[in-house]
Amino acid sequence: GAVVSQHPSWVICKSGTSVKIECRSLDFQATTMFWYRQFPKQSLMLMATSNEGSKATYEQGVEKDKFLINHASLTLSTLTVTSAHPEDSSFYICSAHAAGAGTDTQYFGPGTRLTVL
Amino acid sequence: DAKTTQPPSMDCAEGRAANLPCNHSTISGNEYVYWYRQIHSQGPQYIIHGLKNNETNEMASLIITEDRKSSTLILPHATLRDTAVYYCIVRNNQAGTALIFGKGTTLSVSS
């Protein structure tokens, strides 16, 4: 159990286009999902916290108008990178917190590698 | 959340136990110790967590000192597939609290 999927696993796009990444909890309901990004040889950096049915909370330095997050259901959160530029190229990873679980464990998706040309 | 300190890298021979230390001297009473690992180009994988008692599961054992200021993750019989970056994270158990990752320990298992 506790499987989180992401789609797509990788994407290449031209500068100026928008890219949507989906994060799904497959066998549990997730009241809260988190989005991270990871640059080469660096650790994961938290971008935002997404709660079902409400606006996301962004970390300092993350542009909310550039990284649009929607958490419309208990099993799906989406991250849209708008007007992507080469500096947005990164590994984007989501995680989900299981609702009502006895222990608060976060489960991570496999990640989406974004390359902006 | 409290900060953790881990050695940047460690080596281990295949089949031997890998003991990964973590210092969390400023941990609060309501904070748990979590361990995750990340194999290259994959999402982090949950390993184990604990509050104050030692914990064991099918993947690893977690030993937490009595004063809770440090802990050790033990992989009893390391294999080549255990080569990864291991992250020790302290975090309270409030719903909606994110995991904040440090630099972790790169464990290299060799034959």
Side-chain angles (χ1 to χ4, degrees):
Chain A
V3 177
V4 177
S5 71
Q6 281 185 242
H7 178 81
S9 55
W10 60 270
V11 57
I12 301 173
C13 70
K14 293 182 179 180
S15 184
T17 60
S18 295
V19 175
K20 180 185 283 188
I21 302 170
E22 292 185 348
C23 176
R24 292 182 186 273
S25 56
L26 298 185
D27 51 2
F28 66 99
Q29 293 184 324
T31 51
T32 305
M33 288 183 170
F34 306 92
W35 288 95
Y36 296 80
R37 63 181 169 184
Q38 185 175 33
F39 294 107
K41 300 190 183 300
Q42 294 187 21
S43 187
L44 283 78
M45 292 170 40
L46 178 67
M47 298 177 67
T49 299
S50 168
N51 292 298
E52 186 264 337
S54 64
K55 290 183 178 180
T57 302
Y58 292 81
E59 294 300 300
Q60 191 172 8
V62 178
E63 301 174 55
K64 63 179 181 180
D65 295 330
K66 180 171 184 62
F67 299 99
L68 301 179
I69 292 172
N70 185 289
H71 192 163
S73 77
L74 286 173
T75 59
L76 173 65
S77 176
T78 60
L79 168 68
T80 301
V81 183
T82 62
S83 186
H85 288 94
E87 57 266 30
D88 299 322
S89 298
S90 188
F91 192 49
Y92 291 86
I93 308 168
C94 71
S95 71
H97 160 245
T103 57
D104 186 22
T105 302
Q106 281 179 231
Y107 299 95
F108 286 80
T112 297
R113 187 160 302 281
L114 170 64
T115 302
V116 185
L117 303 176
Chain B
D1 290 339
K3 188 175 178 180
T4 63
T5 304
Q6 298 178 252
S9 62
M10 293 184 66
D11 295 319
C12 181
E14 190 177 22
R16 305 296 294 266
N19 298 290
L20 291 85
C22 179
N23 183 289
H24 32 79
S25 57
T26 59
I27 191 170
S28 300
N30 64 343
E31 289 180 319
Y32 287 68
V33 180
Y34 286 81
W35 283 85
Y36 283 77
R37 72 180 182 184
Q38 185 179 27
I39 296 170
H40 183 62
S41 295
Q42 297 182 24
Q45 177 188 22
Y46 167 78
I47 301 174
I48 199 166
H49 77 284
L51 182 62
K52 54 183 178 180
N53 297 322
N54 297 337
E55 302 288 343
T56 295
N57 62 20
E58 65 278 4
M59 289 184 68
S61 294
L62 173 61
I63 307 298
I64 303 174
T65 58
E66 193 169 341
D67 63 7
R68 302 208 320 125
K69 293 184 177 182
S70 65
S71 61
T72 302
L73 179 73
I74 301 172
L75 307 178
H77 305 286
T79 70
L80 299 178
R81 287 180 292 182
D82 292 322
T83 293
V85 180
Y86 287 77
Y87 296 99
C88 168
I89 303 167
V90 294
R91 203 205 76 170
N92 67 55
N93 242 16
Q94 285 184 333
T97 303
L99 292 164
I100 304 300
F101 287 78
K103 297 181 179 179
T105 296
T106 298
L107 175 67
S108 299
V109 181
S110 56
S111 57

